[in-house]
């Protein structure tokens, strides 16, 4: 938040050559790329519903709230003062205000309230905006959203939990779900010995005569451990099953879910992550026995799209921070925004942001169309892994480059770029790290060849629009003819190239020529560089930079 009447005449010097601080912004009105993407990808109601959120999320006070939620991270409270076990995590009021910002607007529910009618586009666009407020708290929003399709496997569970998940409200109290109007969901899958290889999980589920189960075992990572219920995996006689573990048992007593410690994470500090143990924890089986991995993957597919969207929102915030800074600061005789090298760096960051946003919203449209259109269903299987892999691989270098644009002031905690930089790796690791995403792309290609066929159709729509795109497309087609073992060895290159080619195709078809053609030259051309800011001498910088903000 901007400070009132800060003194600029100090004892030894005057404070000059500094960009203006703060101010309220409309995150939708000022985002040309977002408005254009929504106009082509989503029904009209989506932008209308997003408008109040964009104005509210752009208020300068939210950055102060976000800073507080990170400076005072969650605290573990295992016992009350008399030694009775609580297993609770306590957050600052700032965190709860952030949760209200998302849940009171129903952004964890909108995909299912308007399923097939633009709901996923609305959810993804809202997450893109909310991430620009504070990315860490979006984790429980994502998991609550993503749990809903899993609940559909059991009508009784859906009847009990569904209305609470969809409620436009947030209730942080540690109470049984029956005493609350709104509930949040978490998940707990990985264990120490297996990590991403969840089939090695050792947590045991013992089925009970009444149809419930009792779980005993550990989970190495449990995100948002103060959620009201958790989806988890455990072994029983049929194999690995999926189970719903509520925080409170049906009799109202605290469940046997014991928190061991909170993770001391590199970033993502506003959000708690815990190591837990299930000690005879009451659980409700979800889905077919022995098909737990397949069941919970319905949740994972949703969370992967969100994990692909978060870096796009972070890129947008970082680009704005860098652009506003260089517009207000002079060096070597003129504004930084007029310096040729700086202009190329900022323009390249803007290109990456637009490309990432375009791919996220195209994937969201595939999710919404999957139920009625085989082409969209085929894309929905493949695109989340592509987007999650590539957007998150770009994230850390992107944040570091944006931080450099500010210099030393960008490296200190008063600027949000330090927080964004620490946050940048988490979505790449969460829900499957880079290699897992690449292997998932290989799996989809092998089991669902219609998915790669659908992607080819999307790419073919841009054929002839730019020579660098055409050459990249032809090279991609040659690589796709390789044997499966060769493809797996080249899976990282292939996943990157599929993502970049689809980004390029979307920009060539829909963005101004300055955006699509420059993106193709710097990402797919012969002189493509891993560095940001290596743009052709003839790049239309003015047109690119004008789109960052009015």
């Amino acid at each position: 938040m901007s400070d009132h009447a800060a003194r600029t005449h100090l004892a030894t010097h005057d404070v000059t050559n500094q960009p203006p601080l703060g101010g309220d912004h409309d995150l939708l009105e000022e985002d040309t790329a977002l408005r254009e993407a929504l106009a082509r990808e989503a029904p009209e109601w989506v932008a209308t519903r997003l408008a109040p959120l964009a104005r509210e999320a752009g208020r300068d006070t939210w950055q102060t709230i976000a800073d507080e939620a990170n400076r005072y991270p969650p605290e573990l409270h295992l016992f009350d003062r008399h030694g009775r076990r609580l297993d609770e995590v306590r957050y600052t009021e700032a965190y709860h205000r952030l949760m209200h910002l998302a849940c009171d607007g129903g952004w964890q529910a909108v995909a299912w309230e308007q399923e097939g009618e633009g709901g996923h586009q609305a959810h993804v666009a809202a997450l893109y905006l909310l991430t620009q407020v504070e990315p860490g708290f979006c984790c429980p929003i994502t998991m609550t959203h993503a749990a809903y399709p899993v609940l559909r496997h059991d009508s009784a569970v859906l009847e009990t939990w569904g209305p609470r998940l969809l409620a436009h409200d947030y209730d942080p109290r540690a109470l049984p779900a029956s005493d609350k109007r709104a509930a949040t969901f978490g998940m707990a899958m990985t264990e120490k010995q297996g990590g991403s290889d969840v089939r090695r999980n050792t947590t045991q589920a013992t089925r009970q005569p009444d149809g419930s189960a009792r779980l005993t075992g550990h989970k190495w990572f449990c995100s948002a451990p103060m959620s009201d219920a958790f989806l988890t995996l455990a072994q029983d006689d049929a194999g690995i099953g999926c189970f719903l573990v509520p925080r409170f048992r049906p009799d109202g007593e605290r469940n046997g879910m014991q928190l061991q410690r909170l993770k001391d994470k590199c970033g993502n500090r506003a959000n708690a992550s815990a190591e837990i143990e299930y000690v005879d924890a009451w659980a409700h089986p979800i889905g077919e026995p022995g098909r737990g991995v397949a069941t919970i993957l319905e949740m994972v597919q949703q969370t992967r799209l969100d994990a692909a969207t978060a870096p796009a929102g972070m890129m947008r915030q970082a680009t704005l921070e860098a652009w506003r800074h260089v517009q207000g600061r002079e060096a070597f005789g003129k504004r930084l925004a007029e310096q040729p090298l700086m202009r190329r760096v900022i323009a390249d960051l803007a290109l990456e942001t637009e490309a990432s946003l375009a791919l996220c919203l195209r994937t969201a449209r595939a999710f919404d169309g999957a139920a009625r259109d085989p082409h969209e269903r085929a894309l929905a299987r493949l695109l989340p892994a592509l987007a999650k892999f590539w957007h998150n691989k770009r994230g850390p270098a992107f944040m570091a480059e944006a931080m450099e644009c500010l210099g030393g002031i960008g490296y200190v905690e008063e600027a949000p770029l330090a927080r964004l930089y620490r946050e940048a790796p988490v979505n790449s690791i969460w829900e499957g790290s880079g290699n897992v995403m690449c292997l998932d792309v290989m799996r989809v290609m092998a089991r669902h060849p219609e998915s790669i066929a659908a992607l080819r159709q999307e790419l073919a729509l841009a054929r002839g629009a730019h020579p660098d795109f055409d050459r990249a497309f032809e090279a991609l087609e040659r690589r796709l003819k390789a044997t499966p073992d060769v493809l797996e060895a080249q899976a990282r290159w292939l996943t990157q190239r599929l993502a970049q080619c689809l980004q390029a195709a979307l920009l060539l078809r829909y963005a101004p020529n300055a955006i699509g053609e420059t993106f193709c030259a710097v990402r797919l051309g012969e002189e493509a560089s891993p560095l940001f800011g290596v743009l052709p001498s003839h790049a239309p910088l003015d047109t690119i930079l004008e789109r960052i903000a009015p």
Side-chain angles (χ1 to χ4, degrees), residues 18 325-326 329 336 342 400-419:
Q18 302 297 326
H325 180 86
V326 302
R329 186 166 175 83
L336 283 171
M342 182 62 76
E401 198 68 64
M403 190 183 292
E404 275 194 47
C405 294
L406 275 67
I409 199 171
Y411 192 64
V412 297
E413 292 297 335
E414 286 91 339
L417 286 169
R419 185 171 77 239

Side-chain angles (χ1 to χ4, degrees), residues 463 468-482 490 493-494 497 501 524:
R463 212 164 195 170
D468 286 328
F469 176 80
D470 290 347
R471 282 191 288 269
F473 189 17
E474 291 165 5
L476 190 57
E477 290 280 33
R478 289 193 297 271
R479 291 284 188 103
L480 286 170
K481 295 176 183 177
Q490 298 177 345
W493 180 92
L494 182 63
R497 210 54 162 179
C501 283
L524 305 177

Side-chain angles (χ1 to χ4, degrees), residues 188-189 191 198-199 201-207 213-219 231-243 245 278 283 289-293 296:
M189 291 205 300
E191 297 183 4
V198 295
R199 295 189 183 279
N201 284 7
T202 61
T203 296
Q204 293 294 312
T206 304
R207 300 281 182 151
R214 299 294 185 272
L215 304 189
T216 299
H218 85 283
K219 295 295 173 183
L231 293 175
T232 194
L233 298 175
Q235 299 272 5
D236 62 13
D237 293 340
I240 293 183
C242 179
F243 299 85
V245 183
Y278 292 129
R291 295 275 297 164
V293 174
I296 210 166

Side-chain angles (χ1 to χ4, degrees), residues 91 95 99 103 107-109 112 123 127 136-151 165 183-189 221-231 265 268 271-274 296 298-300 302-304 306-307 427 430-431:
Y91 300 84
Y95 174 87
M99 289 293 291
C103 294
W107 298 111
Q108 83 289 358
W112 315 115
H123 171 77
L127 187 76
F137 89 98
C138 292
C139 173
I141 305 303
T142 286
M143 291 190 297
T144 302
H145 148 78
Y148 195 81
V150 178
L151 304 187
L165 184 152
T184 57
F185 267 72
M187 65 192 307
M189 291 205 300
F221 249 96
C222 173
S223 293
M226 277 305 290
S227 300
D228 296 285
F230 303 84
L231 293 175
K265 296 173 291 186
N268 195 247
N271 175 50
S273 301
I296 210 166
E298 294 188 48
M299 181 180 190
V300 170
Q302 299 289 331
T303 59
R304 284 178 175 175
D306 282 23
N427 283 286
W430 187 44
E431 300 294 34

Side-chain angles (χ1 to χ4, degrees), residues 7-311:
R7 294 173 55 216
T8 59
H9 302 292
L10 308 185
T12 61
H13 65 285
D14 289 342
V15 181
T16 62
N17 193 24
Q18 302 297 326
L21 283 175
D24 295 343
H25 299 275
D26 186 325
L27 299 186
L28 178 59
E29 184 63 29
E30 296 184 3
D31 194 333
T32 302
L34 177 59
R35 287 189 281 102
E36 292 177 353
L38 289 173
R40 70 171 179 264
E41 301 288 3
E44 187 176 348
W45 71 263
V46 173
T48 301
R49 179 164 169 178
L50 283 167
L53 172 66
R55 290 190 294 270
E56 177 63 26
R59 289 176 53 217
D60 194 34
T61 52
W62 283 110
Q63 291 305 310
T64 303
I65 294 167
D67 182 66
E68 181 181 336
N70 278 268
R71 288 182 181 275
Y72 304 99
E75 294 182 347
L76 181 62
H77 286 257
L78 291 179
F79 302 94
D80 71 4
R81 63 177 180 160
H82 298 290
R84 293 170 291 214
R85 187 119 192 176
L86 293 175
D87 292 292
E88 290 184 4
V89 179
R90 295 181 184 170
Y91 300 84
T92 65
E93 183 59 28
Y95 174 87
H96 295 309
R97 290 182 67 181
L98 291 166
M99 289 293 291
H100 273 293
L101 175 65
C103 294
D104 290 0
W107 298 111
Q108 83 289 358
V110 67
W112 315 115
E113 293 171 333
Q114 299 287 343
E115 189 171 7
E117 303 296 334
H120 274 90
Q121 289 100 307
H123 171 77
V124 162
L127 187 76
Y128 170 83
L129 297 175
L130 290 166
T131 298
Q132 295 175 55
V133 177
E134 205 294 306
F137 89 98
C138 292
C139 173
I141 305 303
T142 286
M143 291 190 297
T144 302
H145 148 78
Y148 195 81
V150 178
L151 304 187
R152 289 171 168 167
H153 285 269
D154 190 304
S155 59
V157 168
L158 186 64
E159 182 179 353
T160 299
W161 289 98
R164 293 176 173 86
L165 184 152
L166 299 179
H168 290 208
D169 195 4
Y170 167 65
D171 188 340
R173 295 175 299 168
L175 292 174
S178 58
D179 295 337
K180 300 174 70 171
R181 176 173 176 266
T184 57
F185 267 72
M187 65 192 307
M189 291 205 300
T190 59
E191 297 183 4
K192 297 173 187 175
Q193 72 284 347
S196 296
D197 187 3
V198 295
R199 295 189 183 279
R200 297 185 65 180
N201 284 7
T202 61
T203 296
Q204 293 294 312
T206 304
R207 300 281 182 151
Q208 304 297 305
D210 64 358
S212 66
R214 299 294 185 272
L215 304 189
T216 299
H218 85 283
K219 295 295 173 183
W220 185 230
F221 249 96
C222 173
S223 293
M226 277 305 290
S227 300
D228 296 285
F230 303 84
L231 293 175
T232 194
L233 298 175
Q235 299 272 5
D236 62 13
D237 293 340
I240 293 183
C242 179
F243 299 85
L244 187 153
V245 183
R247 174 163 295 282
F248 288 85
R249 301 192 317 232
D251 61 6
E253 295 297 316
R254 291 176 186 261
N255 207 357
M257 179 179 166
Q258 298 185 0
L259 307 186
Q260 301 303 300
R261 63 170 177 166
L262 298 185
K263 301 287 191 179
D264 186 8
K265 296 173 291 186
C266 167
N268 195 247
R269 289 187 169 270
N271 175 50
S273 301
E275 296 172 30
I276 67 170
E277 287 188 350
Y278 292 129
V279 182
D280 196 36
W282 187 97
H284 185 94
I286 301 283
E288 296 180 40
R291 295 275 297 164
V293 174
T295 301
I296 210 166
L297 276 177
E298 294 188 48
M299 181 180 190
V300 170
Q301 190 74 336
Q302 299 289 331
T303 59
R304 284 178 175 175
L305 175 53
D306 282 23
T309 302

